[in-house]
Amino acid sequence: MPRRLLPSLNALRTFEAVARYGSFTRAAEELNVTQSAASRLVRSLEDYLQLPLFTRQSRHIELTDEGRFYSKLIHEALDLVEAGTVELIDSARGKGTLSIGMLPTFGTRWLLPRLPSFQEKNPDISLNIISSDGDLDFTKERIDVAIRFGHGNWPDAIIDPLMSEEIVVVCSPKVMTGAFPLTDYAALRHHPLIRHSTRPSGWDHWFRSVGAPRDVVKWGPSLEHFFMIIQAAISGLGVALLPSYLIQDELKSGALVAPFPARISGPGAYYLVSSAAKSELSRVKIFRRWMLEQIGEMA
């Protein structure tokens, strides 16, 4: 393996501090060194790179273009090293903070009610739960694990399948006592269909799966989260297509009714997605094991 082309870490730390403060004096105070020592370290870095990082005037310094580029890079690199160091210290014996990127409705309806048992078994692990359903970026979102719906194709991650979805059509009970009750699929043409904005093909998948006629469709509101869709259906804004596990309470209470017996599998599944870079941390391994135990208990 070729030798790494790396300058002195002390020189890098000093340069980053001087660039951040725009002052050798303030950087020296932070690093607990003399001003002349800070200046010598930055000079040694410039000699190593064979280019100036600052323009120096009598009482003022300013980053060169190369200095601005390098200071941003070194600042981010030191942030990463610091974060990794804190992670290792906090992760001793399973301690530390586990950051979970959670789909809002899945988290509210399925995960949060189960988390007290995780905390009871692992009191030294703090939980940081973040609403997260966009593109998955562990570094940008600063999360350790995420729960996602899809097809299991997230790069640079450890992927554990959790569960598939059983999809059911639901509506307010008022629909069933109105002018056009849902006694057959054709009656859907008289009611607005509520859409999930991040799953635009959901209704198409349902129509194809059950063989229902789709000659006329009356679209209702398009909403971003399932909990919004649940409330919209309860309020009578239209007919909804929802995972059955999310609406067990509403079906039991009668707030929603399922007019059709058809239950179909949704086009995708839920996955626990863990950062490959953090997969060996104790808190991540403990949470993965616990999640898979929860899914096993549902089988």
Side-chain angles (χ1 to χ4, degrees), residues 170-172 175 191-194 220-221 229 232-240 256:
V170 295
C171 63
S172 165
V175 170
H191 301 277
L193 305 184
I194 302 170
I229 296 173
I234 291 172
S235 302
L237 282 175
V239 177
L256 290 174

Side-chain angles (χ1 to χ4, degrees), residues 23-258:
S23 165
F24 281 99
T25 301
R26 294 187 64 189
E29 290 172 355
E30 176 183 300
L31 298 172
N32 198 27
V33 298
T34 64
Q35 181 180 351
S36 60
S39 179
R40 283 196 302 273
L41 282 165
V42 172
R43 284 284 190 192
S44 71
L45 180 60
E46 291 175 316
D47 291 343
Y48 183 88
L49 297 170
Q50 297 184 3
L51 54 84
L53 297 171
F54 295 98
T55 56
R56 295 166 172 82
Q57 300 173 8
S58 58
R59 291 185 171 273
H60 178 71
I61 60 170
E62 186 173 330
L63 285 163
T64 63
D65 289 342
E66 293 83 359
R68 275 188 290 274
F69 162 78
Y70 203 47
S71 67
K72 183 175 184 296
L73 186 151
I74 298 304
H75 181 79
E76 291 174 353
L78 291 177
D79 277 352
L80 188 60
V81 171
E82 181 181 33
T85 302
V86 171
E87 291 234 11
L88 288 179
I89 293 172
D90 287 346
S91 293
R93 299 183 301 280
K95 296 182 179 181
T97 298
L98 178 76
S99 292
I100 306 169
M102 185 174 70
L103 295 172
T105 310
F106 180 94
T108 303
R109 294 294 180 111
W110 189 91
L111 182 60
L112 285 179
R114 291 169 168 81
L115 280 180
S117 71
F118 176 82
Q119 287 281 238
E120 185 177 348
K121 294 176 182 177
N122 304 282
D124 290 330
I125 298 178
S126 300
L127 295 177
N128 179 34
I129 300 173
I130 301 164
S131 177
S132 170
D133 60 358
D135 293 337
L136 184 56
D137 187 328
F138 290 105
T139 302
K140 184 177 180 181
E141 296 186 76
R142 297 190 175 186
I143 55 177
D144 303 315
V145 299
I147 295 168
R148 285 291 190 271
F149 184 86
H151 301 282
N153 52 354
W154 292 275
D156 302 320
I158 307 299
I159 299 169
D160 296 299
L162 297 178
M163 66 175 79
S164 58
E165 281 185 339
E166 179 188 74
I167 302 297
V168 59
V169 172
V170 295
C171 63
S172 165
K174 294 178 182 179
V175 170
M176 303 306 292
T177 59
F180 301 102
L182 295 177
T183 54
D184 56 37
Y185 295 149
L188 284 169
R189 73 182 63 186
H190 301 291
H191 301 277
L193 305 184
I194 302 170
R195 292 169 291 177
H196 194 307
S197 61
T198 62
R199 300 193 194 179
S201 62
W203 275 107
D204 288 337
H205 175 76
W206 184 86
F207 277 109
R208 287 194 305 270
S209 297
V210 302
R214 197 181 180 280
D215 51 340
V216 178
V217 171
K218 183 179 179 182
W219 291 118
S222 178
L223 301 171
E224 186 177 4
H225 299 300
F226 276 132
F227 66 82
M228 297 178 179
I229 296 173
I230 292 169
Q231 190 57 51
I234 291 172
S235 302
L237 282 175
V239 177
L241 190 63
L242 289 163
S244 60
Y245 81 92
L246 289 179
I247 50 171
Q248 293 302 306
D249 290 344
E250 287 78 10
L251 292 173
K252 287 178 182 177
S253 70
L256 290 174
V257 296

